[in-house]
């Protein structure tokens, strides 16, 4: 994609009353997250977080540069900002309303899960079983007992700590397992 495509994806979603999420890889994550928000994405999904410190950094990219957040998102005239509104209270609130999501797909993230889930401004997590199995050395074994145990731990702790877990399913039948856990 290019930066113009980001604007057009958001325009298309808005025309159909849909929300939008941009998935950001680790390379250039700050720039791309801010440009995605500026294009009009409602949420940002960060990948490859290995620690609570990584999550704090990601959250800061899409939180306003105001007390109490002290994020890195300053006033910017982009597509998401009507002319003359950059830096206003409404602008700051719109930035606060961006949903921040991180993939839990690395052993380090699971090891620091409680601290990671406590990071202010983190709204949601998503399990990444394929990357996690690879990171453990169980390449292609998403159903390996260590991977399944980590997934259950992640969902259970996220629900207990009030951070919404995002479940990816391929069919409606797969939803039952997550609904039984309490995922909405």
């Amino acid at each position: 994609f290019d930066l113009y495509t980001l604007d057009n994806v958001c325009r298309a979603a808005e025309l159909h009353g849909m929300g939008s999420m941009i998935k950001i890889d680790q390379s250039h994550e700050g720039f791309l997250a801010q440009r995605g928000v500026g294009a009009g994405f409602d949420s940002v999904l960060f990948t490859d977080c290995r620690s609570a410190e990584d999550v704090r950094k990601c959250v800061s990219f899409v939180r306003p540069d105001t007390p109490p957040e002290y994020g890195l998102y300053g006033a910017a005239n982009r597509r998401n900002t009507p002319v003359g509104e950059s830096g206003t209270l409404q602008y700051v609130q719109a930035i606060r309303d961006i949903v921040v999501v991180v993939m839990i797909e690395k052993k380090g993230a699971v090891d620091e899960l409680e601290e990671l889930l406590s990071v202010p401004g983190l709204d949601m997590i998503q399990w990444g079983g394929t990357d996690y199995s690879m990171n453990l050395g169980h390449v292609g074994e998403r159903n390996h007992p260590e991977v399944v145990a980590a997934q259950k731990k992640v969902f259970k702790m996220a629900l207990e700590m009030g951070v919404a877990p995002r479940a990816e399913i391929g069919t409606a039948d797969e939803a039952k397992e997550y609904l039984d856990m309490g995922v909405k």
Side-chain angles (χ1 to χ4, degrees), residues 16-171:
H16 295 282
M18 296 171 51
S20 54
M21 175 186 284
I22 185 170
K23 184 177 180 181
I24 304 290
D25 290 322
Q26 205 169 25
S27 177
H28 304 295
E29 62 192 1
F31 172 77
L32 290 174
Q34 290 184 358
R35 290 309 299 245
V37 169
F41 282 90
D42 304 315
S43 57
V44 180
L45 171 61
F46 292 95
T47 64
D48 300 314
C49 291
R50 290 169 167 77
S51 67
E53 186 55 37
D54 285 352
V55 172
R56 278 188 275 283
K57 180 179 69 168
C58 290
V59 168
S60 75
F61 292 139
V62 291
R63 289 297 179 237
D65 184 14
T66 60
E69 293 95 353
Y70 298 104
L72 299 174
Y73 202 107
N77 290 316
R78 297 206 174 112
R79 187 179 166 277
N80 69 329
T81 311
V83 175
E85 286 192 22
S86 179
T88 64
L89 289 175
Q90 294 87 350
Y91 172 84
V92 169
Q93 188 57 52
I95 302 304
R96 286 180 177 141
D97 290 342
I98 299 298
V99 177
V100 178
V101 189
V102 297
M103 294 286 295
I104 306 297
E105 57 188 351
K106 304 296 180 193
K107 182 179 183 314
V110 173
D111 291 345
E112 293 186 22
L113 188 60
E114 187 170 357
E115 182 183 357
L116 183 152
L117 292 169
S118 299
V119 171
L122 176 64
D123 299 304
M124 182 180 281
I125 55 99
Q126 178 172 330
W127 174 249
T130 300
D131 278 309
Y132 187 76
S133 66
M134 187 172 153
N135 190 239
L136 287 183
H138 301 299
V139 178
E141 296 181 60
R142 291 184 63 160
N143 293 319
H144 188 280
E146 285 182 79
V147 176
V148 171
Q151 178 184 11
K152 288 181 180 178
K153 173 185 174 179
V154 167
F155 275 83
K156 182 177 187 248
M157 189 176 290
L159 289 166
E160 288 171 359
M161 295 184 69
V163 177
R166 180 174 182 251
E168 278 191 18
I169 59 173
T171 67

